[in-house]
Amino acid sequence: MLAKRIIPCLDVKDGRVVKGVNFVNLRDAGDPVELAALYDREGADELVFLDISASVEGRATMEEVVRKTAGEIAIPFTVGGGISSVDDMKRILRAGADKIGINTAAVKQPELISAGARKFGSQCIVVAVDAKYNEAWGEWEVYTHGGRTPSGIKALDWVRQAESLGAGEILLTSMDADGTKDGFDLPLTSAVSSSVSIPVIASGGAGKEEHFYDVFTTGKADAGLAATIFHYKEISIPELKQHLSGKGVDIR
Amino acid sequence: MAIAIVDYGMGNLHSVSKAVERLGDEPLVTGKREEILAADGIILPGVGAFGDAMEQLRATSLDKVMKEAAELGKPLLGICLGMQLLFSKSEEHGHHEGLSILPGQVVRFESGAYKVPHMGWNSLTFTKPEHPLFAGLQEGHVYFVHSYHVLPDQSSDLLAVTDYGRPVTAIVGRGNVHGMQFHPEKSGELGMSLLRNFLALTR
């Protein structure tokens, strides 16, 4: 059986990690390559880099970060942020990323999912979905542009469509839970996991070790992703894994 | 110690090459017969489809070089598709002849309760724990990404398996020829240790 995965997420801008990083044992805590290598040593199962650079120069820098990271770590990693064409995908995969994440661009042109899957294989294509509960619908809605723009699309419809187009994985962020540290959005994660047969990475809301247990059991997620709680050492990955393993979750 | 990483135009060789470098050996990404045969060890990587890969190997005559290297007793490691190519045939998108360095065939996972591709961290069971590849190591998880798996004709060629609704060939070996279905260069400490043990066989 496949082990449940623990995934730290690094927000990178112009080649630097931007979300709070508080590692005392790093020479340069803002260096994404060094931080990635540390997470690898600590037992992270995978990494996600989110490139939030706005400029062309920033994106070129990201490519260099990917190339260096690929040479330094021995776990798979995904790169997302600003990827809007098959050429962008190729550039990042060539640099050494294992998977690429697409979000807004996939909503705007869903054929990008099928084009990428055909060219590089479904295992390389992660569709990132930002979802927020819509009271009027009694359902979750997909948001684009970093959560700023409601798309009018139902999240459960969208993940099913993404799967049928060839997505290999869904990276699901609950905008309602994100930043609360009150736990992952279990109803949303469970609903999405039940709607597709590809793996689902749950993101947003993790604050305690138990939250990961909940999202792997009640939420039926295949992986749990978080950023600041790992960066600030509020949760240590080795302890988290020990905790989960003690409760019978299959962990590497 | 030079380790040839066979370049036949398929997939990204950067991660494998850097992993060899981190373990203290000198990677040489090459498609040249002389360089491959002069190396202390050979790694055959591979990402993509079996048929395309064999076509590329034949077009560059590297299929013959690989067989030659195997016969010369060079330590050889096939990774992922590179392991599958060592076998006799594959049913991936039609029927394709492989390198036939090891007897056996490559078949698709039956669809059912288990998702295809088999992707993620799965645990190894060493079926031949005394093999030098496992020196000093304990069983653990490694990282798989594949939709087809190998059925070796001879169970004696099987060194480790993983469980994915059925026993799945994870590591094979016969004499100087080895194969790993997972990506050791993406499999954390255990993956790097397995690679280190292979490199030790080239000294």
Side-chain angles (χ1 to χ4, degrees):
Chain A
M1 276 314 300
L2 294 178
K4 300 289 187 185
R5 289 169 284 157
I6 303 295
I7 308 178
C9 177
L10 283 65
D11 286 5
V12 179
K13 190 178 183 191
D14 303 324
R16 307 283 298 167
V17 180
V18 289
K19 253 189 201 166
V21 175
N22 190 24
F23 279 104
V24 282
N25 49 348
L26 282 187
R27 245 185 314 119
D28 176 3
D31 179 3
V33 181
E34 227 185 298
L35 189 56
L38 177 78
Y39 279 131
D40 177 6
R41 289 198 296 278
E42 288 205 325
D45 298 304
E46 207 167 311
L47 296 175
V48 168
F49 286 99
L50 185 61
D51 182 15
I52 56 170
S53 311
S55 63
V56 175
E57 294 80 11
R59 300 228 179 276
T61 310
M62 190 62 202
E63 207 177 319
E64 193 48 35
V65 168
V66 172
R67 191 166 287 113
K68 281 191 190 144
T69 305
E72 288 299 322
I73 67 171
I75 51 174
F77 68 101
T78 301
V79 176
I83 291 168
S84 58
S85 68
V86 169
D87 278 346
D88 289 342
M89 296 180 184
K90 189 171 167 184
R91 212 164 35 81
I92 295 293
L93 292 171
R94 275 263 173 90
D98 297 278
K99 312 177 191 181
I100 53 102
I102 43 177
N103 190 332
T104 304
V107 175
K108 280 199 196 152
Q109 30 166 351
E111 63 276 11
L112 190 58
I113 301 173
S114 39
R118 229 179 4 252
K119 182 133 183 139
F120 311 109
S122 285
Q123 77 280 353
C124 293
I125 310 297
V126 180
V127 172
V129 178
D130 295 335
K132 189 174 184 337
Y133 195 70
N134 181 318
E135 294 286 348
W137 295 358
E139 265 200 61
W140 295 274
E141 181 175 5
V142 175
Y143 277 64
T144 57
H145 301 89
R148 290 189 301 275
T149 316
S151 71
I153 300 168
K154 291 177 178 168
L156 299 185
D157 289 346
W158 174 232
V159 293
R160 280 191 210 104
Q161 191 191 348
E163 177 180 31
S164 70
L165 288 170
E169 208 159 44
I170 300 291
L171 165 47
L172 176 69
T173 301
S174 162
M175 293 170 56
D176 300 305
D178 204 18
T180 63
K181 294 192 187 174
D182 287 338
F184 291 98
D185 189 334
L186 300 179
L188 169 66
T189 310
S190 161
V192 167
S193 296
S194 305
S195 300
V196 293
S197 66
I198 51 179
V200 173
I201 304 168
S203 158
K208 290 192 237 165
E209 292 178 348
E210 291 80 64
H211 295 155
F212 285 87
Y213 177 78
D214 295 340
V215 85
F216 290 147
T217 51
T218 315
K220 304 190 195 91
D222 298 275
L225 176 142
T228 41
I229 53 157
F230 292 138
H231 298 338
Y232 281 114
K233 289 258 180 187
E234 288 166 33
I235 290 185
S236 103
I237 291 174
E239 281 168 22
L240 171 61
K241 291 188 123 183
Q242 208 168 6
H243 172 84
L244 291 168
S245 167
K247 292 183 88 170
V249 179
D250 188 13
I251 283 292
R252 173 168 75 104
Chain B
M1 302 286 287
I3 303 298
I5 296 169
V6 182
D7 182 5
Y8 55 104
M10 295 283 286
N12 184 350
L13 311 178
H14 179 61
S15 299
V16 176
S17 170
K18 291 297 278 190
V20 167
E21 199 178 298
R22 286 211 303 284
L23 292 168
D25 279 293
E26 183 198 327
L28 178 64
V29 175
T30 175
K32 295 196 180 100
R33 177 180 177 274
E34 298 72 32
E35 290 183 343
I36 293 170
L37 294 179
D40 301 293
I42 300 165
I43 295 179
L44 181 65
V47 175
F50 192 101
D52 296 345
M54 278 310 299
E55 210 169 283
Q56 281 294 112
L57 284 171
R58 278 191 212 102
T60 49
S61 294
L62 286 169
D63 57 331
K64 293 191 189 74
V65 178
M66 294 312 296
K67 288 184 197 184
E68 212 177 331
E71 276 160 29
L72 282 170
K74 289 273 177 196
L76 179 63
L77 173 66
I79 295 176
C80 196
L81 176 65
M83 168 181 112
Q84 299 184 353
L85 295 170
L86 299 174
F87 285 85
S88 330
K89 57 185 174 186
S90 168
E91 60 170 38
E92 182 176 352
H93 307 303
H95 288 273
H96 304 278
E97 297 291 312
L99 292 169
S100 294
I101 292 171
L102 296 173
Q105 49 180 328
V106 185
V107 300
R108 191 172 166 86
F109 279 107
E110 304 84 14
S111 53
Y114 288 81
K115 297 170 188 176
V116 178
H118 172 218
M119 177 170 77
W121 294 89
N122 209 337
S123 57
L124 290 178
T125 301
F126 301 159
T127 48
K128 280 197 183 164
E130 70 285 1
H131 195 278
L133 275 183
F134 305 136
L137 302 186
Q138 284 185 342
E139 293 173 345
H141 288 82
V142 289
Y143 188 77
F144 290 88
V145 186
H146 61 128
S147 300
Y148 291 78
H149 64 105
V150 170
L151 299 174
D153 286 350
Q154 298 183 16
S155 59
S156 56
D157 291 338
L158 205 55
L159 303 183
V161 293
T162 188
D163 177 22
Y164 196 60
R166 52 158 298 134
V168 175
T169 301
I171 306 181
V172 294
R174 179 193 288 193
N176 57 309
V177 179
H178 312 80
M180 299 181 189
Q181 177 61 68
F182 52 91
H183 286 272
E185 78 281 9
K186 293 284 173 186
S187 294
E189 210 175 296
L190 178 56
M192 290 299 276
S193 300
L194 286 162
L195 210 46
R196 183 184 293 114
N197 283 350
F198 167 72
L199 294 174
L201 300 176
T202 68
R203 292 185 187 117

